[in-house]
Amino acid sequence: MAVTAAPVRATPSLRNTIQRGLRTAPPTAIAAAFRLAEAEAEAAVEPEFRTAAGPFGEASRLLLLLPAALLAAAVVAARRVWAPTAPAPVAMMAVTTAEIDAKFPPLKNDGVLRAIRGQPVDRIPVWVMRQAGRYLPEYVDYTKDKEFFSRCQDPEVACTLTLQPFERYDLDAGIIFSDILVIPQALGMEVKMIKGQGPVFPEALRTREQWYKIERDLLARVGVSGIPDAEQVDHVVAHAAKLADALSYVYDAITLTRTRLNGRAPLIGFCGSPWTLFVYAVEAKKTKTYTEVSKMIFTDPEFVHRILKVMAHVCAEYLIRQVKAGAQMLQVFDSHANVLPPKQWREFSLPYLTLIAELVKKECPDIPMIVLPKDAPFALEFLTDSPYDMVSIDPTLDLGKSHAKLLAAGKGVQGNMSPTTMYAPTAKVTELVTEYLADAFGDGSEIPKRYIANLGSGMNPDMDPANLGAFVEAIHAFGKKK
């Protein structure tokens, strides 16, 4: 029986690959690959040919196996040459909020969700930053013997603190008690909360060697080693979802808190922006000059982008996990947006804010997302076409004009009354809130669409709890039918 083998056309790249494999692969690997290829090729040859007698039978057999042997050598070479290539992130099935909602008590107050989606509401929804905080006597009493980050790491404690303000106020959303700096901790950096100083990093992140070690340690955590420094970053990004496992205590707190909210209001999950986390890690403590981050963005921007890339992917996976744990909205805090001039903000912050939202919405397509570029009024125009559904603005911007601008772009506004309002007498707070909303939205004959009220950077420890009650009541009263 005649057997014709298809010709093998070795392109230059294939020839080079085969040659590299033969030069660099261990002999045992080549032999094993050849044996495997030989077995595969022989299985494809008809029996009468395999048993054909004579010298030409054996020669023909070897000729038939030669292409397979070359291919096997190429495989070995490919494994050697491309071994450092990072695995592609595992594609996950998109999950809808309805699927997650089915696991929890029905929602009785969906005002903030309706507002962010542009649906009609019967009152302006409101919540405030740091609504669970030191201005509440019950917070101070409950936390007096609990170190700050231990409160974040204990789901029962975090749940209790998240729910405390609901015992006093008719709030339209809760935000899980946590801190944006749990991500640097999850990446292996040490962070301490020191009384009178705030967050402190005992070891400031200043050099490439420090970051390479962080990457190596992260890869070791997921069982990966031996990757050259230049290629580590892609491997870390590919394992971002596994690295986010280190924050399981936050996910547990979210699930517990949403269950105990019992549908009273939606629960917000959050993270800090990559740029903001980078600033904290590099400056290591409070600063007015931001000297070190300024030096780095101008002297080694490639290194800065490398760090921001990792942080963005971990932030995205962290937020995705929060959604799956029960968070019904997400907010990204770009708390250090004001450190950068507009041009540099577009280079070092905006792309990573965008990346986070794109990654989150790819897996959780209908989750509402808010971004807060603190004290950076220039950012508003660059966020009108972003993947975020709403922009949280600070008191440096005009509420009415900002709302109109974003509404025209199909997005909403959250904010933005100045926290200084809360130092007025309680009766005056009501008056100030009403005037502020009237200046922005008119006489209250219509409730503004796509608007959530909030209070600048939130509650300070020396504010009167009664004033927050007046603030919330005045917000709710505006525009309600008498």
Side-chain angles (χ1 to χ4, degrees), residues 49-71:
F49 179 78
R50 290 204 302 268
T51 58
F56 292 102
E58 181 63 15
S60 299
R61 172 180 171 276
L62 290 174
L63 286 172
L64 181 65
L65 293 178
L66 182 59
L70 292 173
L71 194 56

Side-chain angles (χ1 to χ4, degrees), residues 94-410:
V95 61
T96 66
T97 54
E99 292 175 78
I100 299 166
D101 291 346
K103 304 174 184 177
F104 294 97
L107 190 58
K108 303 164 189 173
N109 173 8
D110 63 350
V112 292
L113 299 179
R114 295 183 66 84
I116 200 169
R117 290 168 177 156
Q119 299 168 339
V121 293
D122 58 5
R123 67 184 189 184
I124 295 175
V126 56
W127 69 279
V128 301
M129 264 73 89
R130 295 200 298 263
Q131 63 190 28
R134 289 176 290 166
Y135 74 100
L136 291 174
E138 56 268 36
Y139 176 96
V140 174
D141 182 64
Y142 184 72
T143 60
K144 61 187 176 185
D145 60 347
K146 299 175 179 68
E147 186 271 333
F148 178 78
F149 283 112
S150 73
R151 304 169 201 170
C152 303
Q153 294 161 1
D154 186 326
E156 183 68 37
V157 172
C159 173
T160 298
L161 294 174
T162 303
L163 297 178
Q164 276 185 346
F166 283 92
E167 299 304 312
R168 285 178 175 259
Y169 313 115
D170 185 16
L171 295 162
D172 294 295
I175 184 165
I176 192 65
F177 183 85
S178 188
D179 193 89
I180 63 173
L181 297 181
V182 298
I183 285 186
Q185 288 180 327
L187 294 177
M189 301 179 212
E190 184 181 4
V191 188
K192 295 182 177 179
M193 195 67 71
I194 299 177
K195 188 174 182 179
Q197 297 183 51
V200 172
F201 286 65
E203 183 180 0
L205 176 60
R206 301 280 170 81
T207 68
R208 283 179 173 264
E209 289 68 28
Q210 286 175 297
W211 182 252
Y212 294 158
K213 184 180 185 304
I214 288 172
E215 289 180 343
R216 281 195 296 274
D217 291 345
L218 291 173
L219 290 175
R221 195 189 300 174
V222 295
V224 177
S225 62
I227 307 299
D229 289 346
E231 300 169 16
Q232 285 179 163
V233 61
D234 291 332
H235 286 262
V236 174
V237 166
H239 289 94
K242 289 183 180 178
L243 295 173
D245 289 346
L247 293 159
S248 60
Y249 58 85
V250 177
Y251 317 138
D252 292 342
I254 287 173
T255 301
L256 180 63
T257 304
R258 181 167 176 186
T259 301
R260 291 189 183 170
L261 268 171
N262 197 32
R264 183 169 179 174
L267 182 62
I268 301 171
F270 69 93
C271 74
S273 72
W275 168 252
T276 292
L277 301 179
F278 174 76
V279 172
Y280 274 112
V282 171
E283 295 295 341
K285 59 184 178 180
K286 283 185 178 179
T287 177
K288 293 182 179 179
T289 61
Y290 299 98
T291 303
E292 300 302 328
V293 291
S294 299
K295 288 178 181 178
M296 289 178 72
I297 64 172
F298 294 119
T299 60
D300 199 353
E302 181 185 352
F303 175 44
V304 175
H305 283 296
R306 177 173 178 147
I307 297 173
L308 295 173
K309 178 180 179 179
V310 169
M311 288 185 168
H313 281 269
V314 174
C315 284
E317 295 296 341
Y318 176 50
L319 292 177
I320 289 167
R321 291 285 293 276
Q322 290 187 53
V323 173
K324 292 180 178 180
Q328 291 148 286
M329 288 171 56
L330 298 173
Q331 178 158 312
V332 180
F333 289 83
D334 196 6
S335 305
H336 286 312
N338 61 316
V339 175
L340 294 167
K343 181 179 179 180
Q344 281 69 39
W345 183 81
R346 295 199 305 273
E347 179 182 353
F348 292 101
S349 188
L350 180 59
Y352 300 101
L353 291 171
T354 302
L355 176 60
I356 288 172
E358 288 175 345
L359 290 172
V360 170
K361 286 182 174 284
K362 183 177 181 180
E363 194 157 337
C364 309
D366 58 350
I367 190 70
M369 295 186 72
I370 305 170
V371 61
L372 190 162
K374 186 180 177 184
D375 296 335
F378 60 81
L380 193 66
E381 65 177 290
F382 302 113
L383 291 166
T384 54
D385 61 351
S386 78
Y388 290 90
D389 305 284
M390 184 170 276
V391 180
S392 190
I393 62 174
D394 56 62
T396 63
L397 284 161
D398 181 278
L399 176 58
K401 291 178 180 178
S402 300
H403 178 260
K405 182 181 184 71
L406 284 171
L407 194 63

Side-chain angles (χ1 to χ4, degrees), residues 27-46:
T28 54
I30 294 176
F34 189 94
R35 286 195 300 272
L36 178 62
E38 182 180 14
E40 292 291 335
E42 284 202 324
V45 180
E46 303 221 9

